[in-house]
Amino acid sequence: MTNDQVSRLIGGSFGLAFVQMNAGTLPTAAAAPLRVLAILAFLRIVLTRRRPAEAVAGDARPPRGPGFGRGYWYVVAAEVLGLGVGLYVIANVLNKPSATVAWIAFVVGVHFFGLAVVWKRAALHVLAASMAVCGLAGLVLAACDVSKPVIAVVSGIVPGVLLLGSVLWSGRSTRNA
């Protein structure tokens, strides 16, 4: 399995998790279709093998996908630290458990800015900004004591759909190669 395939599975898995965990706050009539669609999108990611681009003439090795080197691990370490500190503050200082999903969406979004730089993939900036905005919106909603289902949609389901869609979109050009 290539680094690119692994990164697609990671993104798809987190997208699926965002939708599955947050759909439970909605009525069953809304939650069930969302969950089924998320599962179908994830299955499409799993079952679609993205082929590497053509090798450059004289180069027997296919181009490498995103690297999981030192830069990647620095980004992940910063993400874990940000999640831990923020979740501690939300739970023990602010006592706003409804803000948890919003903080997670914000930090995951910001981590994509780092990955965009490390992997030299400018398109990840769009995903990063979109998810970070969803997280910030959810934090504002939590501060205003808006209901948990609204926060779950804005900061949980929408970011999950963004992740799944981003992974599916990134594989569109090579799907039928």
Side-chain angles (χ1 to χ4, degrees), residues 42-114:
F42 181 72
L43 287 174
R44 175 121 189 215
I45 291 165
V46 170
L47 297 175
T48 302
R49 291 266 178 189
R50 186 169 177 207
R51 295 184 179 142
E54 294 289 326
V56 177
D59 186 3
R61 296 171 296 157
R64 295 184 62 193
F68 293 100
R70 185 175 297 155
Y72 169 82
W73 291 109
Y74 286 153
V75 170
V76 170
E79 177 186 28
V80 169
L81 181 64
L83 283 171
V85 170
L87 293 175
Y88 177 84
V89 169
I90 287 168
N92 298 308
V93 177
L94 302 176
N95 194 27
K96 280 281 187 195
S98 62
T100 299
V101 69
W103 180 252
I104 293 169
F106 175 73
V107 172
V108 171
V110 169
H111 115 285
F112 278 111
F113 283 117

Side-chain angles (χ1 to χ4, degrees), residues 3-5 7-8 50 64-67 112-126 170:
N3 286 343
D4 188 59
Q5 290 168 329
S7 67
R8 290 169 50 80
R50 186 169 177 207
R64 295 184 62 193
F112 278 111
F113 283 117
L115 291 181
V117 172
V118 169
W119 287 344
K120 296 176 178 70
R121 291 195 174 177
L124 285 177
H125 287 294
V126 175
S170 72

Side-chain angles (χ1 to χ4, degrees), residues 1 5-21 38-39 41-43 45-46 108 112 156 159-161 163-165 167-168:
M1 187 173 283
Q5 290 168 329
V6 171
S7 67
R8 290 169 50 80
L9 284 176
I10 292 169
S13 297
F14 279 101
L16 177 63
F18 264 99
V19 173
Q20 296 300 323
M21 287 188 222
I39 290 168
F42 181 72
L43 287 174
I45 291 165
V46 170
V108 171
F112 278 111
V161 169
L163 275 167
L164 288 165
V167 173
L168 288 168

